[in-house]
Amino acid sequence: MHDPQKDDLKLVVKGVTRTFSAGRRQLEALAPLDLTVGQGEFVSLIGPSGCGKSTLFNIVAGVDTPTTGAVAIEGDWQGERAGKVGYMPQQPLLLPWRTAEENVMLGLDVRRVPQKEARQQAHELLKRFGLLEFADSYPATLSGGMRQRIALLRTILFNASFLLLDEPFGALDALTRITLQMWLLDLLESFHSSVLFITHDVREAILLSDRIYVLSARPASVLRIVDVDLPRPRRQQMLAEARAVELEQELILLLMKEQPL
Amino acid sequence: MSLKRLAGYGPAVVLTVAIFLLWELVVRANLVNSHLLPAPIAIMQALVDNWDVLSVHTLQTSLETVLGLAIATVFGLGLAILLDLSPWIRKSVYPLLITSQTIPMVALAPLLVIWFGLDLTPKIIVVTLYCFFPIAVACADGLASTDPELMKLLHSMRASRWQTLWLVRLPGALPSFFSGLRIAATYSVTGAIVGEYVAAEQGLGLYMKTSASSNAIVLVFAAIVVTALLSLFLFGLVSLIEYIALPWQQRFGQKR
Ligand SMILES: Nc1ncnc2c1ncn2[C@@H]1O[C@H](COP(=O)(O)OP(=O)(O)OP(=O)(O)O)[C@@H](O)[C@H]1O
Ligand SMILES: [Mg+2]
């Protein structure tokens, strides 16, 4: 189905391992791991807590290097990866001294885009996605859901073509989570982004993804790859359809086996 | 300032007034010699009567203090950034810094006078030596405590070392910097007075010394009151600057 050698893939991860040395002990976080993300594809990773998902993200984002194996973005196996992905870490990490709008433009500041232009781009993005009224608020005054939206827009303004989202909705209540899932789908629609997405929530993975990688407990390896053939645009109600429910049960059973007692 | 904040100062005001009241009563009841320990009202009276002379000395001391504090701020900030550049620099410079704080200022000040003469320079150096340390240490700690996850984020954006410093680490260290600056501001006046006490042509330190040697104890106290007020004023000024410079911190309670 997907040929890892093909150059039109957004991301290819090949035989990547990562071993941390903690004092005398060696800690294996990733077993040899293979993974691909196609152009415009939404791929989710689900796996037990602590299995090595964030470790993989750090490697793909160019913040960490694999112990063995290789990673290619847009077919480039050699080049520096930092700067080529929009990375949203597990915590929103908004800068408390910057307003929402200034936080959104952080990536442009790093790219040395002139202030005026950067501000204008951030302003337009906030406007387009209905957050203009919060543009001048400091993060401390925003709700958890609003902070995640701002962090998402910051990620997108830095690099919309390829996003790494590490459990962006993990800390939100169920209703806010659903709202944000729909908001994210809308956002991705207009940017045609390719996405690699981490979640613990099986339903969330089904609702958002084209493909789901199920990972084993640490060291993470791929247990199963499932295609989600629900039509787009996706709606919350689709989760009630027979094939979605079936898939959900299948994934949960698979994950339960990986959960330590 | 809101009423609530003003009310927060209530206990301090009550305690201060109580202490001065007790002091006044003790002196008035002739429990101590009022020449050796003048009463608060007498001190205030002396302060007002001698204000024309005192004000000249106060101005001199203020000038030395503010200049010294300003130089210490620049120096302390620069030092904090330098310490942050590499663990090697930190390891080699930090012990020297701490040692510099163990030098007794009363021993150093006369030497400074010999080297630099009677004018402003030796006092400014003393103030700077008193003040740069808390600023540098607080600021270096602030820089060192940057969230490693935030560093990862900037790394993923391919930010340069200086961009990371300028965009994330320095602004994040500002609250620590201001705590250091507030401590330094309280020390600074004392520094100037120590410098003047050793040798000066003008200043509150000189005024205290000459008053003490001519046995005018009430004037020494008057100068002490001015010193205290000057320190409090500087402390307040730093807090005000912090309030204006860090709107995100104060207005919404100290989250984080
Ligand atoms: N820098 C490091 N040094 C040593 N061990 C590390 C380091 N980073 C991660 N680990 C370990 O590697 C393992 C995987 O961590 P990772 O953060 O990738 O898990 P995760 O799948 O993202 O977990 P979660 O779902 O809880 O976010 C953990 O056991 C963790 O303790
Ligand atoms: Mg994680």
Side-chain angles (χ1 to χ4, degrees):
Chain A
M1 173 188 54
H2 282 278
D3 178 7
Q5 303 303 337
K6 263 195 175 164
D7 278 353
D8 65 342
L9 288 173
K10 197 76 196 181
L11 172 75
V12 182
V13 172
K14 232 184 148 186
V16 162
T17 65
R18 179 70 169 97
T19 310
F20 295 110
S21 41
R24 214 181 294 157
R25 284 192 311 132
Q26 299 277 48
L27 191 123
E28 229 183 309
L30 299 175
L33 197 109
D34 295 301
L35 182 148
T36 61
V37 178
Q39 296 284 356
E41 195 180 24
F42 192 119
V43 174
S44 286
L45 305 179
I46 45 176
S49 188
C51 75
K53 302 181 296 290
S54 297
T55 304
L56 176 67
F57 264 35
N58 285 334
I59 290 171
V60 173
V63 174
D64 195 4
T65 43
T67 308
T68 61
V71 178
I73 293 176
E74 307 252 14
D76 179 5
W77 294 91
Q78 313 297 334
E80 167 102 50
R81 290 189 297 282
K84 288 189 190 154
V85 290
Y87 179 29
M88 179 167 163
Q90 211 158 348
Q91 302 103 306
L93 295 175
L94 296 177
L95 304 176
W97 56 88
R98 285 181 168 231
T99 62
E101 183 173 287
E102 288 161 353
N103 265 291
V104 170
M105 60 190 255
L106 178 67
L108 298 184
D109 285 345
V110 173
R111 294 221 148 121
R112 300 197 170 84
V113 174
Q115 279 291 302
K116 212 172 147 196
E117 195 187 323
R119 196 170 277 279
Q120 196 187 342
Q121 283 191 35
H123 191 82
E124 261 160 35
L125 198 62
L126 285 165
K127 190 165 153 192
R128 194 149 133 219
F129 295 95
L131 299 178
L132 203 52
E133 57 179 307
F134 303 102
D136 295 324
S137 308
Y138 287 101
T141 64
L142 297 174
S143 67
M146 213 46 83
R147 281 183 217 171
Q148 292 296 15
R149 287 184 218 229
I150 299 297
L152 268 166
L153 289 188
R154 174 187 67 196
T155 313
I156 280 186
L157 196 56
F158 177 71
N159 187 334
S161 83
F162 185 27
L163 304 175
L164 294 179
L165 309 179
D166 193 345
E167 265 193 83
F169 309 140
L172 302 176
D173 66 89
L175 277 178
T176 313
R177 182 182 266 245
I178 292 171
T179 321
L180 257 80
Q181 287 163 351
M182 291 302 135
W183 188 82
L184 175 65
L185 285 177
D186 179 36
L187 199 71
L188 299 178
E189 191 87 10
S190 42
F191 287 102
H192 310 287
S193 313
S194 314
V195 184
L196 192 57
F197 188 92
I198 291 178
T199 177
H200 277 124
D201 183 345
V202 173
R203 290 166 65 89
E204 180 169 271
I206 295 172
L207 181 64
L208 300 175
S209 318
D210 298 309
R211 275 189 309 141
I212 302 173
Y213 281 77
V214 184
L215 302 182
S216 68
R218 186 172 61 82
S221 60
V222 178
L223 281 182
R224 173 104 47 106
I225 307 172
V226 269
D227 287 282
V228 183
D229 54 354
L230 295 172
R232 290 197 184 264
R234 299 279 169 86
R235 294 196 203 311
Q236 170 66 21
Q237 301 87 292
M238 290 176 183
L239 285 175
E241 285 177 23
R243 50 186 165 168
V245 174
E246 215 171 286
L247 191 56
E248 186 184 340
Q249 289 311 315
E250 184 189 335
L251 291 177
I252 286 176
L253 279 178
L254 209 56
L255 283 167
M256 293 273 274
K257 279 192 218 137
E258 291 300 312
Q259 201 72 333
L261 292 175
Chain B
M1 206 184 291
S2 69
L3 266 178
K4 230 182 185 169
R5 270 191 70 168
L6 269 181
Y9 292 118
V13 172
V14 170
L15 184 63
T16 314
V17 169
I19 289 172
F20 281 115
L21 211 63
L22 191 68
W23 181 354
E24 185 77 34
L25 289 176
V26 166
V27 177
R28 290 208 176 193
N30 273 325
L31 294 176
V32 293
N33 182 337
S34 71
H35 179 68
L36 293 181
L37 182 66
I41 291 178
I43 294 171
M44 294 318 285
Q45 189 61 49
L47 200 163
V48 172
D49 292 344
N50 293 281
W51 182 241
D52 49 343
V53 181
L54 258 174
S55 60
V56 176
H57 293 290
T58 306
L59 210 63
Q60 175 78 11
T61 304
S62 310
L63 185 68
E64 293 159 6
T65 305
V66 170
L67 283 176
L69 194 56
I71 294 171
T73 305
V74 174
F75 191 53
L77 256 174
L79 208 60
I81 293 173
L82 187 75
L83 284 179
D84 188 68
L85 281 182
S86 88
W88 287 103
I89 297 180
R90 199 183 177 90
K91 269 188 213 145
S92 48
V93 177
Y94 221 84
L96 280 181
L97 268 185
I98 293 167
T99 315
S100 80
Q101 291 306 295
T102 63
I103 301 171
M105 228 34 103
V106 279
L108 189 64
L111 298 182
L112 291 174
V113 171
I114 295 172
W115 294 333
F116 298 103
L118 279 179
D119 63 352
L120 279 178
T121 317
K123 286 92 186 173
I124 292 176
I125 292 177
V126 173
V127 174
T128 306
L129 285 176
Y130 261 102
C131 295
F132 85 92
F133 188 72
I135 296 175
V137 169
C139 202
D141 283 352
L143 286 175
S145 66
T146 315
D147 186 348
E149 292 295 314
L150 207 48
M151 301 287 283
K152 267 190 206 164
L153 175 68
L154 270 282
H155 187 172
S156 83
M157 290 176 168
R158 213 174 173 175
S160 71
R161 181 191 189 114
W162 293 110
Q163 282 184 317
T164 310
L165 187 68
W166 182 247
L167 291 173
V168 170
R169 306 188 62 212
L170 268 179
L174 275 183
S176 309
F177 162 74
F178 274 108
S179 329
L181 186 59
R182 240 177 297 149
I183 295 171
T186 21
Y187 281 152
S188 60
V189 186
T190 319
I193 286 180
V194 168
E196 292 163 354
Y197 217 92
V198 171
E201 286 163 341
Q202 230 171 42
L204 287 171
L206 176 76
Y207 188 84
M208 285 177 194
K209 194 163 114 178
T210 47
S211 303
S213 54
S214 60
N215 240 341
I217 293 177
V218 72
L219 292 182
V220 178
F221 272 102
I224 291 176
V225 170
V226 176
T227 310
L229 290 179
L230 199 57
S231 299
L232 281 177
F233 172 75
L234 276 176
F235 186 91
L237 192 66
V238 171
S239 301
L240 182 71
I241 294 173
E242 180 179 7
Y243 183 82
I244 294 167
L246 310 181
W248 52 277
Q249 236 216 351
Q250 322 263 325
R251 266 164 229 173
F252 312 115
Q254 265 128 349
K255 283 204 178 176
R256 238 160 77 90

